[in-house]
Amino acid sequence: LAQGSAYPRTRLAPRPVRLACFEAMDSNAPKLAKVEKVLGRTGSRGGVIQVRVQFMYETAPELAGRSLIRNVKGPVREGDILALLETEREARRLR
């Protein structure tokens, strides 16, 4: 028994280590995309910015070079890098 304790001292098993190189292989991992062009503001009050993004090779080799139009809430400018959790849907164009 551990001193001052009613329970016996036990050893905890070590936790598994997650390596960063394996996280990139996870299909749920965010994909990085660079903002190519800011297309304009949308939304009822203009609180959403529509941008064209191009996927980067580092996080998604299968999507590298592909570009999409996405809606972004918050400040964004050309050259920014976005972490996208969902890469299939494309935003409708501004009118």
Side-chain angles (χ1 to χ4, degrees), residues 23-34 53-63 70 81-88:
E23 289 180 15
M25 289 187 217
D26 183 15
S27 63
N28 294 332
K31 311 288 190 282
L32 298 182
K34 188 173 186 176
V53 297
Q54 184 170 20
F55 289 99
M56 300 173 72
Y57 181 80
E58 291 81 14
T59 57
E62 68 280 0
L63 297 173
R70 295 298 298 250
I81 296 176
L82 305 177
L84 302 176
L85 297 176
E86 197 278 318
T87 58
E88 297 299 316

Side-chain angles (χ1 to χ4, degrees), residues 1-2 15 17 21-22 28-29 33 56 65 74 77 80-81 91 93:
L1 290 178
R15 291 187 171 191
V17 177
C21 61
F22 291 114
N28 294 332
M56 300 173 72
R77 59 183 172 196
D80 284 357
I81 296 176
R93 288 288 307 209

